[in-house]
């Protein structure tokens, strides 16, 4: 899908306005489908006490609610900044087609956001991570997976 | 923080019950603080039309709402399965201390969940990813970041 500067203008405007109004971090995002904005998002982590309320995730949640769908195929996300691993993961789960971003994760790191650090952590073996992480074997660990595989009622995603 | 099997039992029970009740994917998670369960989560992607409603993220959002905080320091997350990159990112943003998981991301991939694929995508250069991804330079890209750095009212996170 073709890049349109007007949508990035809007994502950046949202980011600027979010700092000015003191609602949260300096990030904005816009979701576009069929050349229309279907959802906008800003960072609301501190004002909603939700560490997952990044601009991209807010935009995805709003768009999915609007379309009554858990997938956003044929949608483009315009983000004022390169998404963190959490948001990038959300883009994949939402099956978004195209991502445009303006500032980079290095720019975000320069003003104190941990994105680059989290990118590094995710590639480390689990026993070398800052969050103490342990694979705890359990005799019923795969029971839900077996039930899922056998279920004829399930909705795949 | 010490591992307690009873909490993993509960996370796995939630995962199993979620498939049986047909509410969503085969995943459950429990957040523990001071030896008490403060929140539980199950996968609700398809029933709530929210691609970010993974068990871990639901548990984090519930816990944060309950504690009126956007950080969950000194909390342990017990997850029936190794978190995907989206959820792992959320754990870092929430500042969780310890993560225990039972099934692995390879187990999840074996029943059709894309976790391993997303882990691989995140490490690829942006022009080699399945989601078309472009860094789109913009003359105002850093304006919100400058405002953020200068702001004396901001709440860091």
């Amino acid at each position: 899908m073709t890049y349109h500067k007007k949508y990035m203008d809007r994502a950046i405007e949202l980011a600027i306005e979010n700092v000015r109004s003191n609602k949260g971090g300096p990030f904005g995002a816009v979701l576009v489908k069929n050349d229309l904005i279907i959802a906008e998002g800003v960072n609301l982590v501190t004002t909603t006490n939700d560490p997952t309320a990044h601009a991209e995730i807010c935009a995805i949640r709003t768009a999915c609610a609007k379309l009554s769908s858990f997938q956003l195929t044929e949608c483009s996300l315009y983000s004022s900044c390169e998404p963190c691993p959490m948001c990038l993961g959300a883009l994949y789960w939402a099956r978004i087609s195209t991502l445009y971003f303006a500032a980079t994760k290095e720019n975000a790191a320069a003003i104190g956001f941990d994105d680059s650090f989290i990118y590094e952590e995710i590639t480390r073996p689990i026993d070398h991570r800052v969050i103490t992480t342990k694979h705890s074997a359990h005799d019923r660990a795969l029971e839900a997976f077996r039930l899922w595989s056998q279920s004829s009622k399930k909705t795949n995603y």
Side-chain angles (χ1 to χ4, degrees), chain A:
Chain A
M1 274 163 271
T2 324
Y3 175 79
H4 293 287
K5 182 170 175 291
K6 63 180 175 185
Y7 299 130
M8 190 59 88
D9 289 345
R10 179 63 185 148
I12 287 172
E13 191 180 293
L14 286 166
I16 292 168
E17 180 49 31
N18 206 45
V19 183
R20 286 200 203 284
S21 62
N22 207 27
K23 284 200 185 135
F27 305 101
V30 162
L31 263 167
V32 176
K33 185 173 187 171
N34 297 330
D35 256 323
L36 279 175
I37 291 180
I38 56 163
E40 298 183 338
V42 291
N43 180 291
L44 295 172
V45 169
T46 55
T47 38
T48 63
N49 283 324
D50 180 355
T52 73
H54 284 199
E56 300 92 325
I57 286 191
C58 292
I60 288 172
R61 286 186 181 137
T62 302
C64 285
K66 210 179 217 176
L67 302 180
S68 301
S69 169
F70 51 85
Q71 301 208 332
L72 298 171
T73 46
E74 295 173 46
C75 288
S76 299
L77 185 82
Y78 287 73
S79 183
S80 66
C81 182
E82 187 171 359
C84 76
M86 175 178 73
C87 292
L88 195 56
L91 294 180
Y92 280 92
W93 289 116
R95 309 284 194 269
I96 280 168
S97 305
T98 314
L99 162 67
Y100 300 109
F101 64 86
T104 65
K105 61 180 190 287
E106 290 76 17
N107 297 144
I111 57 156
F113 289 97
D114 282 346
D115 304 37
S116 294
F117 164 72
I118 299 176
Y119 272 99
E120 286 162 23
E121 280 286 294
I122 280 183
T123 60
R124 288 196 183 114
I126 61 168
D127 50 351
H128 286 75
R129 292 186 187 158
V130 166
I131 294 182
T132 307
T133 304
K134 295 203 192 304
H135 175 209
S136 313
H138 192 290
D139 53 355
R140 300 181 73 194
L142 300 182
E143 194 170 319
F145 286 7
R146 273 192 294 269
L147 284 172
W148 176 263
S149 297
Q150 291 158 5
S151 168
S152 55
K153 300 180 295 178
K154 67 175 176 271
T155 306
N156 283 303
Y157 62 90

